[in-house]
Amino acid sequence: MTEADSRENLMTDGEGDGGEPVRRIPDIISLVKDTYAELRPAERRVADVVLDDVKYAVDASNAALAQRAGVSEPTVTRFCRAIGCEGVRDFKLKLAQSLVVGALYLDTSPARENDTGMPFWNAVFGEARRALQEAERQLDPVQLQKAAELIAKARQVTVFGLGGSSSALAQETQYRLFRYGISISAQCDPYLMRMTASTLKPGDLVIAISATGRTREVIEAVELAKHYRANAICVTAPDTELARVGDVRLTVAVPEYPDTLKPTASRFAFLAMIDLMAVAAAYKLDGSARETVRRIKYNAQIHRTGKEMEPLGD
């Protein structure tokens, strides 16, 4: 990688307070991996030492790093320049930055195996069960009933969720509620959230979903909706900014098992809250919800079979 390539990786990412470009530090660990095949054999030995123990590479002196790799100190310097750094000091600065952001994801120690021979088996099933138990323990039934009342009387409902899990949960909320005859849409784009919030009126409802409760775009969209006097249900973590801006708060905190390859368990808790909220709203609507579900089931069955439902026999 040339010096010009290195400068391109330090791309501007907006502007600082004085209007100057903000320099974004590149992911140096990925650069080491991606350029590994292009390095000289001696430089690869340095790369092996770095990738084998990143924390050691950050703290070790140039001489210690060279000794562990079995190379000379100038070779360490050449390695640093080969991956686009100005020298050893610049390399360690960027390496430390990568370590701060992604240290958890560099741990390759395997989880304990069980009788299935699959180390992730207990982590996935166990964490799912624990998440549901936490949701049952922490969810406030009073808040759930308030949420159901807001949904049942809303003129229209819009759901906000941003990011991988929250976007999927927003879509799932739409799928749960439309079948009860509720006019509902899900927005997973920050600009569409703001635009949709701007169209809301009294009697409309926002359901905002965020596992962290800190997603700024979602919080601002809810605040905008409330400015136009729409109501807001927040499905999120307790004691967060998003929870504080909602009229109704459905909250749960689920500690995550430290396995970076395992999906987050908190989504099971959030799915349970969404299901409870949807069913509670359906019971508020009662007759009209049952009729809408009947229509959906009737026409879905015709679509599957390609024929009208046959009457029951005597």
Side-chain angles (χ1 to χ4, degrees):
M1 179 178 288
T2 66
E3 193 69 15
D5 293 330
S6 176
R7 285 195 294 271
E8 285 185 8
N9 276 304
L10 292 170
M11 296 180 290
T12 59
D13 191 16
E15 293 185 344
D17 294 336
E20 72 280 2
V22 176
R23 288 163 64 84
R24 187 173 69 208
I25 298 177
D27 179 2
I28 200 69
I29 296 174
S30 291
L31 289 178
V32 173
K33 293 178 178 179
D34 292 345
T35 60
Y36 186 88
E38 304 168 15
L39 299 175
R40 296 183 177 92
E43 294 167 351
R44 289 183 190 176
R45 292 201 291 273
V46 180
D48 290 337
V49 170
V50 171
L51 295 175
D52 183 61
D53 191 341
V54 176
K55 190 176 186 307
Y56 170 81
V58 170
D59 298 331
S61 67
N62 193 13
L65 198 59
Q67 183 178 10
R68 178 172 286 198
V71 299
S72 65
E73 291 187 42
T75 298
V76 176
T77 303
R78 284 194 296 270
F79 158 78
C80 296
R81 290 175 177 165
I83 61 171
C85 297
E86 296 175 2
V88 176
R89 184 185 297 273
D90 182 42
F91 167 70
K92 289 194 173 186
L93 172 66
K94 294 169 182 173
L95 189 63
Q97 179 75 13
S98 288
L99 185 63
V100 167
V101 174
L104 180 64
Y105 299 92
L106 296 173
D107 183 13
T108 58
S109 56
R112 290 179 299 176
E113 291 189 2
N114 70 344
D115 294 339
T116 66
M118 292 180 281
F120 51 82
W121 185 276
N122 288 337
V124 172
F125 281 109
E127 290 300 291
R129 286 192 293 268
R130 188 165 65 89
L132 291 173
Q133 290 168 355
E134 287 298 316
E136 185 175 12
R137 183 179 68 85
Q138 297 179 37
L139 187 60
D140 184 351
V142 174
Q143 291 289 302
L144 181 67
Q145 288 296 332
K146 289 180 179 178
E149 290 169 4
L150 287 179
I151 294 169
K153 70 180 184 182
R155 186 178 70 93
Q156 64 172 331
V157 180
T158 186
V159 194
F160 294 159
L162 190 63
S165 294
S166 294
S167 295
L169 290 169
Q171 293 287 344
E172 181 65 19
T173 305
Q174 178 183 354
Y175 300 151
R176 292 295 101 203
L177 291 176
F178 90 88
R179 66 189 65 202
Y180 301 131
I182 295 167
S183 177
I184 183 169
S185 63
Q187 303 296 343
C188 303
D189 177 272
Y191 293 105
L192 285 174
M193 287 180 196
R194 293 184 68 89
M195 289 189 286
T196 302
S198 303
T199 69
L200 299 180
K201 297 178 175 62
D204 293 337
L205 174 65
V206 167
I207 300 175
I209 302 173
S210 172
T212 65
R214 299 190 302 268
T215 307
R216 174 51 47 191
E217 295 88 342
V218 174
I219 295 168
E220 290 177 352
V222 173
E223 290 174 337
L224 188 59
K226 288 180 64 62
H227 172 76
Y228 291 108
R229 296 190 293 162
N231 293 312
I233 299 170
C234 294
V235 183
T236 186
D239 302 319
T240 57
E241 189 173 354
L242 180 59
R244 288 188 284 272
V245 301
D247 299 295
V248 174
R249 305 165 186 86
L250 302 180
T251 61
V252 64
V254 180
E256 292 292 344
Y257 183 83
D259 183 341
T260 58
L261 298 180
K262 181 188 70 62
T264 55
S266 59
R267 76 190 194 286
F268 292 106
F270 278 71
L271 280 169
M273 290 195 291
I274 289 167
D275 277 356
L276 284 166
M277 179 174 61
V279 174
Y283 271 84
K284 292 288 183 183
L285 293 165
D286 197 26
S288 64
R290 293 179 190 275
E291 171 60 16
T292 305
V293 172
R294 185 196 67 80
R295 293 184 187 186
I296 291 172
K297 295 294 185 182
Y298 179 84
N299 288 288
Q301 182 66 22
I302 292 174
H303 176 73
R304 292 192 192 105
T305 62
K307 60 182 179 181
E308 299 287 338
M309 298 283 287
E310 293 183 4
L312 297 174
D314 294 334

